Amino acid sequence: MLDLIIRNARLAGQSETVDFGCLDGKIKERRGRLDMPAREEIDAAGYLVSPPFVDSHFHMDSTLTYGTPRYNESGTLYEGISLWGEIKPYLTVEDVERRALLLCRWAVAKGSLAIRSHVDIGDPALTAVHALLEVRKKVSPWLDLQLVAFPQDGYFRDPNAVSLLERALDLGVDVVGGIPHFERTYDDGRRSVEALCRIAADRGLMVDMHCDESDDPNSHHIETLISMTAQLGMQGRVTGSHLTSMHSMDNTLADKLLGLMQENEVNAIACPLINITLQGRKDTYPKRRGLTRVKEMMQRGINYAVAHDCVMDPWYAGGSHDMLEVAHMGLHVGQMTGVHETADMFNAVTVNPARTLQLDGYGLEIGCNADLVVLQAKDPTEAIRLRANRLFVVRRGEVISRTPLLESEVRFMGEDALTRFSVSEFQ
Ligand code: FE2
């Protein structure tokens, strides 16, 4: 007896549909027609089935604080940082938990079952760390939450950050973060990357730094991050987030750095919703886009992802935690409009970030975790075009979210009857 059968599911690139059979939290069967009993059956009706979305870069401690205690008047990154500094002293464990749990519900309903969230360790009470460690435990049955110790005000620039970061890691935070471009001097930034990578290597942890989130073409701390990856043998376990300066830097230097990233298996994460709004603010016209070079990363085989970063916080007023909205923006800002590029943008919110987070059992093969999403679309490109409705979200063989089929009823001019139609009708 299976736990769940998902009938008539369409795999990307295949014309025939398949049935998925789930047992004990795993994908047990995957073939044309399953003739087996199951406790529950759902019908994917020929729609696309995908592994779950993965948000590889988020800030769960600040999410859903929009307008508290005031709005970001300029809409800039640096006013966002100072506004967050005003909010931090008033954080409580209960408030952070409440907002984070609400955000996790939104994420699950949109098909995201793994999130890597940075958590600011600059508060001497580590309020947000304590809260998000509790949230990580509470959501674990339905969502993998990975936490990054993030020294928002600078690892050396904030006099308390060195010891607070160690304390956060001692408490069980998963990944070592950093923000080298925010240190006082360029040399402090370089030293912070070296120190933080050594801490990660000593503790056997991964690294994910806010790196070169700047329009300054001379900001290339990614070079030190790559070098430390090589020196410490951390290939595949180090990630550069944002990397926006790469948009502005000299092509020769960017080319060299991209080659080194590929050679040392350094992952990249771009945040298109946020950086299209925050970067280029000092430009008149033309204004730079400020997204890192995702197209060139794809061409070189660098493991790149696009991520949400913020939802309704001091830096960004928008969002609903929808990874298809992120992919949609990434596609536009990165000019990923070639047929294969668009399809690859879907990988940038699924398989690529799953690799960055080193998620076990991720995928749609037999033996993988029975975690999947049925989208009201026929293929990944249509899913991005429509920011498709998520019909079913399955976690470990159990349906944990469902949304009705999206249809409209329209009375066209000169017609008596309503015509029911869906924008995702098969051609
Ligand atoms: Fe960020």
Side-chain angles (χ1 to χ4, degrees), residues 7-11 14-17 43-49 374-380 382-383 385-386 388 391 405-407 420-427:
R7 297 221 180 265
N8 307 309
R10 185 176 302 273
L11 292 161
Q14 294 192 14
S15 52
E16 299 297 316
T17 62
D43 185 7
Y47 287 114
L48 177 70
V49 66
V374 180
L375 294 151
Q376 193 181 341
K378 64 178 182 296
D379 58 39
E382 187 174 78
R385 176 174 72 84
L386 299 173
L391 297 168
L405 199 72
L406 190 66
E407 291 181 313
R420 179 176 293 207
F421 76 100
S422 154
V423 288
S424 56
E425 275 169 15
F426 298 142
Q427 302 296 312

Side-chain angles (χ1 to χ4, degrees), residues 54-336:
V54 177
D55 185 4
S56 52
H57 186 115
F58 195 67
H59 293 266
M60 209 165 283
D61 46 4
S62 56
T63 196
L64 305 181
T65 56
Y66 179 62
T68 313
R70 62 178 180 85
Y71 296 105
N72 182 336
E73 291 294 333
S74 64
T76 58
L77 171 65
Y78 290 100
E79 187 177 340
I81 292 175
S82 65
L83 179 48
W84 176 235
E86 292 170 36
I87 296 171
K88 262 196 281 188
Y90 300 100
L91 289 180
T92 65
V93 170
E94 295 73 27
D95 175 51
V96 177
E97 260 196 54
R98 183 188 58 76
R99 289 185 285 100
L101 287 170
L102 179 58
L103 191 284
C104 287
R105 277 183 199 278
W106 292 7
V108 166
K110 297 282 189 185
S112 293
L113 297 185
I115 299 177
R116 175 181 278 181
S117 173
H118 294 251
V119 50
D120 188 348
I121 54 82
D123 155 30
L126 291 176
T127 304
V129 171
H130 288 292
L132 292 185
L133 285 169
E134 194 56 31
V135 170
R136 185 179 70 182
K137 206 186 306 169
K138 282 186 177 162
V139 301
S140 62
W142 33 281
L143 182 141
D144 297 307
L145 178 59
Q146 212 173 70
L147 299 175
V148 185
F150 176 45
Q152 170 80 72
D153 300 320
Y155 183 60
F156 292 131
R157 189 167 165 179
D158 173 354
N160 299 317
V162 170
S163 63
L164 287 171
L165 187 124
E166 293 277 358
R167 271 178 53 204
L169 296 176
D170 289 343
L171 287 168
V173 171
D174 307 277
V175 180
V176 178
I179 186 164
H181 55 277
F182 196 69
E183 303 292 349
R184 285 193 194 90
T185 66
Y186 199 82
D187 198 51
D188 281 355
R190 181 189 56 75
R191 289 192 305 110
S192 78
V193 174
E194 291 174 354
L196 290 160
C197 285
R198 287 207 177 89
I199 290 170
D202 288 348
R203 290 175 176 258
L205 301 177
M206 291 186 278
V207 173
D208 187 342
M209 289 193 193
H210 285 65
C211 193
D212 306 319
E213 190 180 8
S214 161
D215 293 322
D216 176 3
N218 300 309
S219 183
H220 57 282
H221 291 291
I222 183 66
E223 187 176 51
T224 310
L225 192 59
I226 298 164
S227 168
M228 292 306 291
T229 304
Q231 282 180 49
L232 299 168
M234 294 182 74
Q235 289 82 353
R237 297 170 51 212
V238 173
T239 299
S241 277
H242 293 287
L243 301 174
T244 54
S245 71
M246 203 174 264
H247 184 97
S248 301
M249 73 178 50
D250 176 77
N251 286 337
T252 309
L253 178 58
D255 207 45
K256 178 196 169 200
L257 294 171
L258 288 169
L260 287 169
M261 285 179 76
Q262 192 257 337
E263 190 179 296
N264 293 284
E265 298 167 44
V266 172
N267 307 302
I269 298 174
C271 301
L273 288 167
I274 307 312
N275 289 128
I276 194 63
T277 53
L278 293 183
Q279 304 312 126
R281 286 296 185 118
K282 297 226 166 24
D283 294 358
T284 53
Y285 287 94
K287 281 186 190 290
R288 287 166 289 175
R289 297 174 182 213
L291 193 76
T292 196
R293 303 189 185 205
V294 288
K295 189 188 286 272
E296 290 73 16
M297 288 174 177
M298 184 201 79
Q299 289 165 349
R300 284 181 174 271
I302 293 167
N303 186 46
Y304 78 99
V306 289
H308 219 306
D309 202 5
C310 305
V311 170
M312 298 182 71
D313 71 6
W315 297 274
Y316 186 60
S320 60
H321 207 281
D322 181 350
M323 294 309 292
L324 284 173
E325 192 180 331
V326 177
H328 189 263
M329 182 59 81
L331 181 156
H332 286 81
V333 182
Q335 298 184 331
M336 299 283 279

